[in-house]
Amino acid sequence: MELGLIGLGKMGGNMRERIRRAGHTVIGYDRDPELSDVDSLAELVERLEGPRVVWVMVPAGAPTQSTVDELKDLLAEGDVVVDGGNSRWTDDEKHAAELAERGIGFVDAGVSGGVWGLENGYALMVGGDDEHVARVQPVFDALKPEGDFGYVHAGKVGAGHFSKMVHNGIEYAMMQAYAEGWELLEAVDSVTDVREVFRSWQEGTVIRSWLLDLAVNALDDDEHLDKLRGFAADSGEGRWTVEAAIDNAVPLPAITASLFARFASRQDDSPQMKMIAALRNQFGGHAVESRSEH
Amino acid sequence: MELGLIGLGKMGGNMRERIRRAGHTVIGYDRDPELSDVDSLAELVERLEGPRVVWVMVPAGAPTQSTVDELKDLLAEGDVVVDGGNSRWTDDEKHAAELAERGIGFVDAGVSGGVWGLENGYALMVGGDDEHVARVQPVFDALKPEGDFGYVHAGKVGAGHFSKMVHNGIEYAMMQAYAEGWELLEAVDSVTDVREVFRSWQEGTVIRSWLLDLAVNALDDDEHLDKLRGFAADSGEGRWTVEAAIDNAVPLPAITASLFARFASRQDDSPQMKMIAALRNQFGGHAVESRSEH
Amino acid sequence: MELGLIGLGKMGGNMRERIRRAGHTVIGYDRDPELSDVDSLAELVERLEGPRVVWVMVPAGAPTQSTVDELKDLLAEGDVVVDGGNSRWTDDEKHAAELAERGIGFVDAGVSGGVWGLENGYALMVGGDDEHVARVQPVFDALKPEGDFGYVHAGKVGAGHFSKMVHNGIEYAMMQAYAEGWELLEAVDSVTDVREVFRSWQEGTVIRSWLLDLAVNALDDDEHLDKLRGFAADSGEGRWTVEAAIDNAVPLPAITASLFARFASRQDDSPQMKMIAALRNQFGGHAVESRSEH
Amino acid sequence: MELGLIGLGKMGGNMRERIRRAGHTVIGYDRDPELSDVDSLAELVERLEGPRVVWVMVPAGAPTQSTVDELKDLLAEGDVVVDGGNSRWTDDEKHAAELAERGIGFVDAGVSGGVWGLENGYALMVGGDDEHVARVQPVFDALKPEGDFGYVHAGKVGAGHFSKMVHNGIEYAMMQAYAEGWELLEAVDSVTDVREVFRSWQEGTVIRSWLLDLAVNALDDDEHLDKLRGFAADSGEGRWTVEAAIDNAVPLPAITASLFARFASRQDDSPQMKMIAALRNQFGGHAVESRSEH
């Protein structure tokens, strides 16, 4: 089939390659003319035969919104837009409604895979009406990993990004689980080779996983992670997961703890712990470390 | 080689079988004569040629302590005792010291594998002096999974059980991660097939793991887990992990949250939430549900 | 001065009374004609001499929004609207902008005090421009407790409700603190009179507080809180506090734990703990309590 | 009455003074001859008329243990030892049993009050048999605050320290509650005077407390706590509270979060967050801050 693909960065570029390898035609557009197959969104749309499928692979938020706005004007009834970026599921509902005004279908697709996706395939979590999803199915089949897994039509519009968001929330807590265990093992004298403990866990244990394999890789590069700072960004999905949980009154203690640990990791000095220090100073005359001594 | 094995329950019985399949001689003792190869611990010891290796596979705490006490009297200088049960690492140091008074070596071995161990091998995390570990090595090689992983000599006495304990702490938080994600997905209307979302994650995602495979198995048996109650026991290692963290001033927010979620799951009614309800009633005249209305 | 007051429920009615006792004129409107001084919002506005001050004391969300919409049409340039309800601070910014289109000022006021407010005064946290706040000051002075505390002009529009929201977030964690301590004391045999322990804490301790006094009252009514269920609602501010924290990348572990404890308290059975039970069943053959057995 | 008091540091010295002001005789012993009324423990015991009451006010752990050991030899049947230090409740049971071998009674007393105790009195939480507590009652009455509160005979041996320990656990979470709220208020632009918000809360709010008063004092000294580092020690009771909770399967999410926040505050760089950074680097090619760049 023929696909229009907007956004040809690292992720989008690799996806174009994998879809082409499967025998499909991909016309790509990127603001960077070096990467783009066409000069404009208008040209992209023009070169696709209707009914068209256009896959948007640009950053969530304003870039995705403005692309959807432009496509709403450029596309025609019966066309389908796929948002494969990291949009919040609540944006999906909005985008679907906006495009529906013009008879344009909408599918949201959460995409996992990173740098391994080109060779191993991308896990895809998809939301939207059956008829719209069916239109994109050959592309989904091209992108997904071989085998029985790695693709799901999770439900209505938004369900794809919602599922991908929860995937990332789970990922936060799994990473935190290994990280906490690693710190505790490193803290005691009796365990003299923590890296080998991690390595051994790769077979026969309850906690073997792809993330564990990555942890072993990382420890092989840098046994005690001395080259790194204990500093972790967060990418939006973790925050949205907690917000979705609050909306639904679902307690998420481990995932939220993992998100907060990242927040704290980015603080040079913790304001709340200054208040704890101040209170201790007030009520007990506890010695506190004053700034001037440091 | 020749091994004495004490405790022939589900776990010990399968281990005896796997060690025998590897060509070693195992003389097993169990209080249940149906399972036992000998009539008494004394007979077990007598039938082994010195220097002996005796593997203790009985419940942690008093049963392990009394077995160690008996072996201390029965064994001779140069023999080695392996504790393969779920003992706390602090007990290992004590047992090693007690046995050392008689010149008997001690090795602790954390064993993971459960019902799959017989066929797939048992992951082993071992602590103790090199010379004592070396004495048991053929048995470790027989028990461990094939391949490069699944066995580690983690460090000094206690390091095996400590590593296994941390493994279980990590396991608690990983299970909690999937469980939180599952509950959130089940809570929203847009995601119409949560089981298929989980299934799809088994390939191409960051969170693929053996535990995820088990979760899919469980959902295949009972799609919404309607047949289960939200009730989870805890087996000791989770508690010890948090206690070890406190001893070492290591923050373990996700693992501890997972442990507390299990505690709470076992309460018919939460005393602390009664106090919250009582306070709300006091200060705001908030309506509270009184017992008599239920 | 003269005040229009919209919403004469328990809270609004008591506030009208307290403001009148301070010598001001209050014209109140409520949908319930039994409570109302006038027949309509239009009549309320008509009976006030300009420039008017109108205090909105209705539920947050749709009721407040529709009241603001109506007032925007009825009021005139130079008038000031006060939102004394439990609105989210983000609504304040929206309301202020809407009213500013017509030259109408806006002040947000977080109000604490509950059933004791009529006699003891209401704590007020106020946001808005100085000139608008100054217009309402006599009413604030009438409502606030005697003494030096209980009133603050916290900052710009939204700062009042934001401060009140954080107050409630702190309240959640303080309540949780006492509740956790109470449950732990009740759990051990050696402490034979938990109520008297709580009572003793009312003087000379670090944790004495008004909430502690309430806890003692509650225990005097029902020593072991047997008449209550461990079930706690949450009123919005706790959720918003966590959401604001996420927006600002501020870790709030204790407040969030308190919110999640309330969520969990309202579940008859915990879906996430069913998943934990299912996983335990899968990997270990752990006995699980099946629904059919209960 | 007559009291022997061992340990005349800041706390013990002030207590001696307060007991003397109440008209009792206190003979104090301290290793520092400048502070001590006698030259040795033996002299202290000799100078007291039997049956004696001796109050131990030395650091928990080894110093208290060795003092109890010495007193066991020096005292006689019918005498009573009070441990007013910060001992763990499990030590109390041990000490009581040891002293009982010689017919010596034992009472444990958790003492709160800090630098204000001399003037305002000390809150006392006491454990032990009625007859032993009765022997010390005049001293308790001298130490406690005036009024109806501040003293409780909480239960059996250990109940005093257990109650004080829980008091401190609650204190941790209350401090954390205010600290989290303060950080969130400081993080937003709309709230322009956080200190005044805190000050206003001292009257008419749900969260008014002595700790809040201290927070206002601290902010008056240093409005944004710029002079402090976000670094907080922990004194043992917080850890023991969590350990007691684990022993009793009581979930303590807020108190434990508060303890872990202190642990994290003392780490220059977080090992666990290094692992998070390492994993992110592995699976996504996420940019990480390397040590060499800082």
PDB file of all heavy atoms in Angstrom, chain A residues 259-285:
ATOM      1  N   LEU A 259       8.158   7.614  39.744  1.00  0.00           N
ATOM      2  CA  LEU A 259       8.135   8.951  39.132  1.00  0.00           C
ATOM      3  C   LEU A 259       8.734   9.989  40.086  1.00  0.00           C
ATOM      4  O   LEU A 259       9.566  10.815  39.688  1.00  0.00           O
ATOM      5  CB  LEU A 259       6.693   9.322  38.782  1.00  0.00           C
ATOM      6  CG  LEU A 259       6.488  10.701  38.160  1.00  0.00           C
ATOM      7  CD1 LEU A 259       7.132  10.797  36.783  1.00  0.00           C
ATOM      8  CD2 LEU A 259       4.990  11.039  38.067  1.00  0.00           C
ATOM      9  N   PHE A 260       8.335   9.908  41.348  1.00  0.00           N
ATOM     10  CA  PHE A 260       8.837  10.877  42.325  1.00  0.00           C
ATOM     11  C   PHE A 260      10.348  10.729  42.525  1.00  0.00           C
ATOM     12  O   PHE A 260      11.056  11.707  42.757  1.00  0.00           O
ATOM     13  CB  PHE A 260       8.106  10.721  43.651  1.00  0.00           C
ATOM     14  CG  PHE A 260       6.694  11.255  43.639  1.00  0.00           C
ATOM     15  CD1 PHE A 260       5.808  10.947  44.665  1.00  0.00           C
ATOM     16  CD2 PHE A 260       6.234  12.076  42.617  1.00  0.00           C
ATOM     17  CE1 PHE A 260       4.509  11.438  44.680  1.00  0.00           C
ATOM     18  CE2 PHE A 260       4.930  12.574  42.614  1.00  0.00           C
ATOM     19  CZ  PHE A 260       4.070  12.252  43.654  1.00  0.00           C
ATOM     20  N   ALA A 261      10.836   9.505  42.460  1.00  0.00           N
ATOM     21  CA  ALA A 261      12.284   9.300  42.599  1.00  0.00           C
ATOM     22  C   ALA A 261      13.025  10.036  41.478  1.00  0.00           C
ATOM     23  O   ALA A 261      14.107  10.587  41.700  1.00  0.00           O
ATOM     24  CB  ALA A 261      12.608   7.807  42.577  1.00  0.00           C
ATOM     25  N   ARG A 262      12.440  10.045  40.292  1.00  0.00           N
ATOM     26  CA  ARG A 262      13.064  10.790  39.204  1.00  0.00           C
ATOM     27  C   ARG A 262      13.011  12.298  39.448  1.00  0.00           C
ATOM     28  O   ARG A 262      13.985  13.009  39.197  1.00  0.00           O
ATOM     29  CB  ARG A 262      12.377  10.452  37.881  1.00  0.00           C
ATOM     30  CG  ARG A 262      12.596   9.000  37.466  1.00  0.00           C
ATOM     31  CD  ARG A 262      12.157   8.784  36.056  1.00  0.00           C
ATOM     32  NE  ARG A 262      12.368   7.392  35.681  1.00  0.00           N
ATOM     33  CZ  ARG A 262      12.339   6.948  34.434  1.00  0.00           C
ATOM     34  NH1 ARG A 262      12.102   7.792  33.434  1.00  0.00           N
ATOM     35  NH2 ARG A 262      12.552   5.683  34.170  1.00  0.00           N
ATOM     36  N   PHE A 263      11.865  12.763  39.912  1.00  0.00           N
ATOM     37  CA  PHE A 263      11.776  14.201  40.227  1.00  0.00           C
ATOM     38  C   PHE A 263      12.894  14.571  41.215  1.00  0.00           C
ATOM     39  O   PHE A 263      13.621  15.542  41.026  1.00  0.00           O
ATOM     40  CB  PHE A 263      10.427  14.528  40.875  1.00  0.00           C
ATOM     41  CG  PHE A 263       9.238  14.495  39.953  1.00  0.00           C
ATOM     42  CD1 PHE A 263       7.946  14.609  40.467  1.00  0.00           C
ATOM     43  CD2 PHE A 263       9.372  14.358  38.574  1.00  0.00           C
ATOM     44  CE1 PHE A 263       6.833  14.586  39.643  1.00  0.00           C
ATOM     45  CE2 PHE A 263       8.262  14.326  37.733  1.00  0.00           C
ATOM     46  CZ  PHE A 263       6.989  14.441  38.280  1.00  0.00           C
ATOM     47  N   ALA A 264      12.980  13.792  42.289  1.00  0.00           N
ATOM     48  CA  ALA A 264      13.957  14.114  43.338  1.00  0.00           C
ATOM     49  C   ALA A 264      15.381  14.053  42.807  1.00  0.00           C
ATOM     50  O   ALA A 264      16.247  14.818  43.229  1.00  0.00           O
ATOM     51  CB  ALA A 264      13.782  13.157  44.525  1.00  0.00           C
ATOM     52  N   SER A 265      15.617  13.153  41.860  1.00  0.00           N
ATOM     53  CA  SER A 265      16.980  12.980  41.347  1.00  0.00           C
ATOM     54  C   SER A 265      17.467  14.224  40.612  1.00  0.00           C
ATOM     55  O   SER A 265      18.667  14.411  40.442  1.00  0.00           O
ATOM     56  CB  SER A 265      17.048  11.771  40.406  1.00  0.00           C
ATOM     57  OG  SER A 265      16.559  12.084  39.107  1.00  0.00           O
ATOM     58  N   ARG A 266      16.532  15.049  40.202  1.00  0.00           N
ATOM     59  CA  ARG A 266      16.926  16.218  39.410  1.00  0.00           C
ATOM     60  C   ARG A 266      17.085  17.471  40.254  1.00  0.00           C
ATOM     61  O   ARG A 266      17.361  18.537  39.721  1.00  0.00           O
ATOM     62  CB  ARG A 266      15.886  16.444  38.311  1.00  0.00           C
ATOM     63  CG  ARG A 266      15.719  15.220  37.398  1.00  0.00           C
ATOM     64  CD  ARG A 266      15.149  15.561  36.057  1.00  0.00           C
ATOM     65  NE  ARG A 266      13.831  16.127  36.129  1.00  0.00           N
ATOM     66  CZ  ARG A 266      12.684  15.421  36.010  1.00  0.00           C
ATOM     67  NH1 ARG A 266      12.732  14.120  35.830  1.00  0.00           N
ATOM     68  NH2 ARG A 266      11.517  16.023  36.056  1.00  0.00           N
ATOM     69  N   GLN A 267      16.890  17.334  41.556  1.00  0.00           N
ATOM     70  CA  GLN A 267      17.035  18.491  42.431  1.00  0.00           C
ATOM     71  C   GLN A 267      18.452  18.552  42.990  1.00  0.00           C
ATOM     72  O   GLN A 267      18.915  17.574  43.576  1.00  0.00           O
ATOM     73  CB  GLN A 267      16.048  18.402  43.588  1.00  0.00           C
ATOM     74  CG  GLN A 267      14.598  18.399  43.120  1.00  0.00           C
ATOM     75  CD  GLN A 267      13.615  18.367  44.284  1.00  0.00           C
ATOM     76  OE1 GLN A 267      13.813  17.652  45.254  1.00  0.00           O
ATOM     77  NE2 GLN A 267      12.562  19.154  44.181  1.00  0.00           N
ATOM     78  N   ASP A 268      19.086  19.686  42.831  1.00  0.00           N
ATOM     79  CA  ASP A 268      20.415  19.835  43.432  1.00  0.00           C
ATOM     80  C   ASP A 268      20.323  19.745  44.942  1.00  0.00           C
ATOM     81  O   ASP A 268      21.138  19.126  45.598  1.00  0.00           O
ATOM     82  CB  ASP A 268      21.023  21.182  43.034  1.00  0.00           C
ATOM     83  CG  ASP A 268      21.752  21.065  41.716  1.00  0.00           C
ATOM     84  OD1 ASP A 268      22.163  19.952  41.349  1.00  0.00           O
ATOM     85  OD2 ASP A 268      21.894  22.092  41.047  1.00  0.00           O
ATOM     86  N   ASP A 269      19.326  20.401  45.472  1.00  0.00           N
ATOM     87  CA  ASP A 269      19.094  20.336  46.910  1.00  0.00           C
ATOM     88  C   ASP A 269      17.578  20.282  47.078  1.00  0.00           C
ATOM     89  O   ASP A 269      16.840  20.924  46.343  1.00  0.00           O
ATOM     90  CB  ASP A 269      19.668  21.575  47.599  1.00  0.00           C
ATOM     91  CG  ASP A 269      19.898  21.341  49.079  1.00  0.00           C
ATOM     92  OD1 ASP A 269      19.652  20.222  49.555  1.00  0.00           O
ATOM     93  OD2 ASP A 269      20.324  22.285  49.750  1.00  0.00           O
ATOM     94  N   SER A 270      17.119  19.514  48.029  1.00  0.00           N
ATOM     95  CA  SER A 270      15.688  19.295  48.153  1.00  0.00           C
ATOM     96  C   SER A 270      15.063  20.347  49.046  1.00  0.00           C
ATOM     97  O   SER A 270      15.351  20.400  50.247  1.00  0.00           O
ATOM     98  CB  SER A 270      15.447  17.908  48.759  1.00  0.00           C
ATOM     99  OG  SER A 270      14.133  17.823  49.258  1.00  0.00           O
ATOM    100  N   PRO A 271      14.174  21.169  48.505  1.00  0.00           N
ATOM    101  CA  PRO A 271      13.511  22.162  49.366  1.00  0.00           C
ATOM    102  C   PRO A 271      12.776  21.523  50.533  1.00  0.00           C
ATOM    103  O   PRO A 271      12.858  22.017  51.659  1.00  0.00           O
ATOM    104  CB  PRO A 271      12.535  22.856  48.398  1.00  0.00           C
ATOM    105  CG  PRO A 271      13.147  22.681  47.040  1.00  0.00           C
ATOM    106  CD  PRO A 271      13.802  21.327  47.089  1.00  0.00           C
ATOM    107  N   GLN A 272      12.087  20.419  50.280  1.00  0.00           N
ATOM    108  CA  GLN A 272      11.310  19.845  51.384  1.00  0.00           C
ATOM    109  C   GLN A 272      12.214  19.327  52.498  1.00  0.00           C
ATOM    110  O   GLN A 272      11.856  19.408  53.672  1.00  0.00           O
ATOM    111  CB  GLN A 272      10.352  18.759  50.908  1.00  0.00           C
ATOM    112  CG  GLN A 272      10.976  17.554  50.294  1.00  0.00           C
ATOM    113  CD  GLN A 272       9.925  16.659  49.604  1.00  0.00           C
ATOM    114  OE1 GLN A 272       9.765  15.515  49.931  1.00  0.00           O
ATOM    115  NE2 GLN A 272       9.200  17.212  48.644  1.00  0.00           N
ATOM    116  N   MET A 273      13.412  18.871  52.130  1.00  0.00           N
ATOM    117  CA  MET A 273      14.296  18.395  53.176  1.00  0.00           C
ATOM    118  C   MET A 273      14.944  19.562  53.931  1.00  0.00           C
ATOM    119  O   MET A 273      15.373  19.398  55.079  1.00  0.00           O
ATOM    120  CB  MET A 273      15.344  17.441  52.611  1.00  0.00           C
ATOM    121  CG  MET A 273      14.730  16.179  51.980  1.00  0.00           C
ATOM    122  SD  MET A 273      13.347  15.406  52.903  1.00  0.00           S
ATOM    123  CE  MET A 273      14.259  14.741  54.321  1.00  0.00           C
ATOM    124  N   LYS A 274      15.010  20.718  53.289  1.00  0.00           N
ATOM    125  CA  LYS A 274      15.407  21.918  54.051  1.00  0.00           C
ATOM    126  C   LYS A 274      14.389  22.210  55.154  1.00  0.00           C
ATOM    127  O   LYS A 274      14.753  22.601  56.266  1.00  0.00           O
ATOM    128  CB  LYS A 274      15.482  23.127  53.117  1.00  0.00           C
ATOM    129  CG  LYS A 274      16.614  23.089  52.122  1.00  0.00           C
ATOM    130  CD  LYS A 274      16.626  24.393  51.350  1.00  0.00           C
ATOM    131  CE  LYS A 274      17.758  24.407  50.344  1.00  0.00           C
ATOM    132  NZ  LYS A 274      18.066  25.778  49.910  1.00  0.00           N
ATOM    133  N   MET A 275      13.119  22.055  54.811  1.00  0.00           N
ATOM    134  CA  MET A 275      12.089  22.303  55.830  1.00  0.00           C
ATOM    135  C   MET A 275      12.192  21.269  56.951  1.00  0.00           C
ATOM    136  O   MET A 275      12.050  21.617  58.133  1.00  0.00           O
ATOM    137  CB  MET A 275      10.701  22.270  55.178  1.00  0.00           C
ATOM    138  CG  MET A 275       9.544  22.437  56.151  1.00  0.00           C
ATOM    139  SD  MET A 275       9.643  23.895  57.241  1.00  0.00           S
ATOM    140  CE  MET A 275       8.876  25.141  56.193  1.00  0.00           C
ATOM    141  N   ILE A 276      12.459  20.025  56.589  1.00  0.00           N
ATOM    142  CA  ILE A 276      12.654  19.011  57.637  1.00  0.00           C
ATOM    143  C   ILE A 276      13.833  19.413  58.530  1.00  0.00           C
ATOM    144  O   ILE A 276      13.743  19.375  59.764  1.00  0.00           O
ATOM    145  CB  ILE A 276      12.939  17.622  57.014  1.00  0.00           C
ATOM    146  CG1 ILE A 276      11.777  17.155  56.133  1.00  0.00           C
ATOM    147  CG2 ILE A 276      13.260  16.600  58.099  1.00  0.00           C
ATOM    148  CD1 ILE A 276      10.527  16.759  56.839  1.00  0.00           C
ATOM    149  N   ALA A 277      14.914  19.824  57.905  1.00  0.00           N
ATOM    150  CA  ALA A 277      16.090  20.241  58.678  1.00  0.00           C
ATOM    151  C   ALA A 277      15.748  21.435  59.568  1.00  0.00           C
ATOM    152  O   ALA A 277      16.163  21.507  60.732  1.00  0.00           O
ATOM    153  CB  ALA A 277      17.238  20.575  57.727  1.00  0.00           C
ATOM    154  N   ALA A 278      14.987  22.371  59.022  1.00  0.00           N
ATOM    155  CA  ALA A 278      14.622  23.563  59.785  1.00  0.00           C
ATOM    156  C   ALA A 278      13.773  23.195  60.995  1.00  0.00           C
ATOM    157  O   ALA A 278      13.979  23.720  62.103  1.00  0.00           O
ATOM    158  CB  ALA A 278      13.864  24.536  58.880  1.00  0.00           C
ATOM    159  N   LEU A 279      12.832  22.298  60.813  1.00  0.00           N
ATOM    160  CA  LEU A 279      11.962  21.892  61.924  1.00  0.00           C
ATOM    161  C   LEU A 279      12.753  21.152  62.992  1.00  0.00           C
ATOM    162  O   LEU A 279      12.566  21.378  64.191  1.00  0.00           O
ATOM    163  CB  LEU A 279      10.819  21.005  61.403  1.00  0.00           C
ATOM    164  CG  LEU A 279       9.746  21.733  60.614  1.00  0.00           C
ATOM    165  CD1 LEU A 279       8.806  20.746  59.933  1.00  0.00           C
ATOM    166  CD2 LEU A 279       8.943  22.666  61.525  1.00  0.00           C
ATOM    167  N   ARG A 280      13.640  20.284  62.543  1.00  0.00           N
ATOM    168  CA  ARG A 280      14.485  19.576  63.508  1.00  0.00           C
ATOM    169  C   ARG A 280      15.302  20.565  64.325  1.00  0.00           C
ATOM    170  O   ARG A 280      15.445  20.429  65.545  1.00  0.00           O
ATOM    171  CB  ARG A 280      15.424  18.613  62.789  1.00  0.00           C
ATOM    172  CG  ARG A 280      14.746  17.304  62.388  1.00  0.00           C
ATOM    173  CD  ARG A 280      15.623  16.452  61.494  1.00  0.00           C
ATOM    174  NE  ARG A 280      16.904  16.123  62.069  1.00  0.00           N
ATOM    175  CZ  ARG A 280      17.127  15.122  62.930  1.00  0.00           C
ATOM    176  NH1 ARG A 280      16.138  14.370  63.315  1.00  0.00           N
ATOM    177  NH2 ARG A 280      18.333  14.892  63.394  1.00  0.00           N
ATOM    178  N   ASN A 281      15.801  21.548  63.647  1.00  0.00           N
ATOM    179  CA  ASN A 281      16.583  22.582  64.307  1.00  0.00           C
ATOM    180  C   ASN A 281      15.743  23.318  65.348  1.00  0.00           C
ATOM    181  O   ASN A 281      16.189  23.590  66.459  1.00  0.00           O
ATOM    182  CB  ASN A 281      17.072  23.576  63.253  1.00  0.00           C
ATOM    183  CG  ASN A 281      18.254  24.367  63.746  1.00  0.00           C
ATOM    184  OD1 ASN A 281      18.947  23.942  64.656  1.00  0.00           O
ATOM    185  ND2 ASN A 281      18.459  25.523  63.155  1.00  0.00           N
ATOM    186  N   GLN A 282      14.515  23.620  64.968  1.00  0.00           N
ATOM    187  CA  GLN A 282      13.631  24.363  65.866  1.00  0.00           C
ATOM    188  C   GLN A 282      13.293  23.561  67.119  1.00  0.00           C
ATOM    189  O   GLN A 282      13.397  24.070  68.219  1.00  0.00           O
ATOM    190  CB  GLN A 282      12.310  24.694  65.149  1.00  0.00           C
ATOM    191  CG  GLN A 282      12.415  25.786  64.119  1.00  0.00           C
ATOM    192  CD  GLN A 282      12.592  27.155  64.732  1.00  0.00           C
ATOM    193  OE1 GLN A 282      12.009  27.438  65.773  1.00  0.00           O
ATOM    194  NE2 GLN A 282      13.425  27.988  64.131  1.00  0.00           N
ATOM    195  N   PHE A 283      12.868  22.326  66.943  1.00  0.00           N
ATOM    196  CA  PHE A 283      12.305  21.670  68.131  1.00  0.00           C
ATOM    197  C   PHE A 283      13.312  20.927  68.964  1.00  0.00           C
ATOM    198  O   PHE A 283      13.071  20.610  70.110  1.00  0.00           O
ATOM    199  CB  PHE A 283      11.104  20.787  67.799  1.00  0.00           C
ATOM    200  CG  PHE A 283      11.377  19.495  67.096  1.00  0.00           C
ATOM    201  CD1 PHE A 283      12.021  18.436  67.717  1.00  0.00           C
ATOM    202  CD2 PHE A 283      10.935  19.329  65.801  1.00  0.00           C
ATOM    203  CE1 PHE A 283      12.226  17.246  67.066  1.00  0.00           C
ATOM    204  CE2 PHE A 283      11.138  18.134  65.141  1.00  0.00           C
ATOM    205  CZ  PHE A 283      11.788  17.095  65.771  1.00  0.00           C
ATOM    206  N   GLY A 284      14.456  20.649  68.373  1.00  0.00           N
ATOM    207  CA  GLY A 284      15.328  19.830  69.180  1.00  0.00           C
ATOM    208  C   GLY A 284      16.712  20.391  69.362  1.00  0.00           C
ATOM    209  O   GLY A 284      17.536  19.784  70.024  1.00  0.00           O
ATOM    210  N   GLY A 285      16.942  21.516  68.731  1.00  0.00           N
ATOM    211  CA  GLY A 285      18.305  21.957  68.759  1.00  0.00           C
ATOM    212  C   GLY A 285      19.222  20.957  68.075  1.00  0.00           C
ATOM    213  O   GLY A 285      20.408  20.867  68.378  1.00  0.00           O
TER     214      GLY A 285
END
